């Protein structure tokens, strides 16, 4: 069936939210790690940190230790940061090296992941050292970002990001040319999905974000689901001399892109903000913010900090409400919550398959 906007509207008018247990049960988060986070492209670092041969950085993705490097030929590579001998780490932090050495027993690997040296392993029966290499992980770079995917059958990153990449280019932003300005991390007392739900609708803006409400034209705010991402368009109010986002001509609206399951790109006049949402437990979430841009964007960063603090308070309150015996499911606004419904559908599809996604 063709997924028309009319069909989506009818479906949304009948829909309920996912049950509260999905936000509360530790066993459900274990399922999400395996079927959602470990099967999707995850932002793991910056391309500038692996721009030259020998450059590398380490990263932990929901407990999985990763190593991202650039080999002698300039190829971006990803591996599990786990020695094939007895599971020691082969790299720490970041830097530039000609090879990686396990910090436990000294096994040494090339930048391509192949084992180069295994000291004192002579005499081990049927051990073919030439066949041993670090376990690879799919990686790719996109603009200033590096992504990894733990699913060996995942579609390539350019395929996954093709549509949204074209949209950002059309918005007039040279994504790869924007330097990083600042990074901040926040821990929030809520399930990761509470934070994503909150991001995917502007319905709460008049109540939760009075400062942001004064910046945008709420009546023209709209949400557009597309495949594995959604876009929110927030036209900025014209004629305001005290506007946080300056009138620069090339963009007079804020564009909020969400990429399933947990990445946000916020495109503003003069800067781009990237957010990653990572579960720490069923009731605690880490959000990572990085700002990219040129010129003075300190005012925009301060304003983002204010909005984030407001979101943290309401998301923590919602998590407490989800735990109440009085609540299980709610209904969704056709006018304002298409993005939330879209997210829930993609989540269900990832967890139980396409047939299950047609049931609720």
């Amino acid at each position: 069936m063709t997924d028309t906007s009319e069909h989506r509207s009818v479906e949304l008018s009948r829909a309920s939210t996912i049950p509260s247990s999905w936000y509360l049960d530790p066993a459900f988060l274990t399922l999400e790690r395996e079927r959602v986070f470990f099967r999707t492209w995850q932002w793991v670092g910056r391309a500038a940190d692996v721009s030259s041969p020998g450059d590398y950085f380490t990263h932990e993705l929901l407990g999985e230790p990763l190593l991202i490097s650039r080999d002698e030929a300039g190829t971006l590579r990803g591996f599990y940061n786990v020695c094939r001998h007895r599971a020691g780490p082969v790299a720490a932090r970041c830097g530039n090296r000609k090879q990686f050495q396990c910090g436990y027993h000294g096994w040494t690997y090339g930048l391509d992941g192949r084992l180069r040296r295994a000291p004192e392993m002579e005499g081990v029966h049927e051990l073919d050292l030439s066949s041993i290499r670090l376990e690879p992980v799919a990686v790719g770079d996109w603009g200033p970002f590096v992504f990894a995917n733990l699913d060996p059958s995942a579609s390539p990153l350019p395929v996954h990001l093709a549509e949204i990449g074209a949209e950002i280019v059309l918005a007039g932003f040279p994504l790869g040319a924007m330097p990083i300005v600042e990074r901040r991390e926040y821990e929030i007392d809520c399930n990761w999905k509470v934070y994503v739900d909150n991001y995917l609708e502007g319905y709460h803006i008049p109540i939760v974000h009075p400062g942001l409400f004064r910046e945008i034209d709420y009546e023209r705010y709209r949400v557009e689901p597309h495949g594995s991402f959604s876009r929110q368009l927030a036209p900025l109010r014209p004629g305001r001399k005290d506007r946080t986002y300056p009138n620069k001509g090339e963009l007079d609206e804020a564009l909020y892109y969400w990429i399933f399951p947990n990445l946000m790109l916020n495109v503003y006049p003069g800067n781009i903000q990237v957010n990653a949402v990572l579960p720490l437990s069923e009731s605690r979430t880490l959000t990572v913010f990085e700002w990219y841009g040129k010129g003075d964007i300190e005012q925009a960063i301060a304003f983002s900090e204010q909005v984030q603090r407001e979101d943290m308070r309401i998301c923590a309150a919602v998590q407490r409400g989800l735990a109440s015996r009085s609540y299980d499911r709610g209904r969704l606004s056709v006018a304002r919550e298409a993005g939330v419904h879209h997210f829930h559908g993609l989540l269900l599809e990832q967890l139980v398959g396409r047939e299950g996604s047609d049931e609720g």
Side-chain angles (χ1 to χ4, degrees), residues 84-114:
R84 303 313 300 271
H85 172 220
R86 282 180 49 203
V90 300
R93 296 178 291 278
C94 61
N96 184 282
R97 302 192 66 171
K98 294 183 179 180
Q99 59 187 17
F100 300 111
Q101 185 177 63
C102 177
Y104 197 6
H105 299 101
W107 282 35
T108 303
Y109 300 84
L111 297 177
D112 61 359
R114 296 184 183 277

Side-chain angles (χ1 to χ4, degrees), residues 284-347:
R284 195 157 179 81
T285 293
L286 174 70
T287 58
V288 179
F289 281 52
E290 287 189 353
W291 287 266
Y292 294 77
K294 295 182 179 179
D296 183 10
I297 64 170
E298 290 304 313
Q299 183 181 5
I301 292 174
F303 186 60
S304 293
E305 174 79 16
Q306 173 188 322
V307 172
Q308 170 68 353
R309 295 294 176 182
E310 292 163 349
D311 280 330
M312 290 171 68
R313 287 192 291 271
I314 193 62
C315 286
V318 168
Q319 184 70 25
R320 293 191 294 272
L322 287 165
S324 168
R325 67 179 63 195
S326 69
Y327 184 87
D328 180 45
R329 288 175 179 256
R331 299 299 298 275
L332 295 167
S333 165
V334 173
R336 295 292 181 182
E337 294 176 296
V340 178
H341 180 53
H342 178 231
F343 167 44
H344 292 176
L346 290 174
L347 181 66

Side-chain angles (χ1 to χ4, degrees), residues 47-111:
D49 293 336
V50 282
S51 59
S52 301
D55 286 351
Y56 76 93
F57 64 83
T58 58
H59 181 84
E60 186 172 295
L61 177 59
L62 276 66
E64 286 291 348
L66 305 181
L67 167 61
I68 313 298
S69 68
R70 184 80 61 177
D71 70 14
E72 295 93 336
T75 301
L76 183 67
R77 293 186 178 271
F79 308 101
Y80 287 91
N81 187 16
V82 179
C83 180
R84 303 313 300 271
H85 172 220
R86 282 180 49 203
V90 300
R93 296 178 291 278
C94 61
N96 184 282
R97 302 192 66 171
K98 294 183 179 180
Q99 59 187 17
F100 300 111
Q101 185 177 63
C102 177
Y104 197 6
H105 299 101
W107 282 35
T108 303
Y109 300 84
L111 297 177

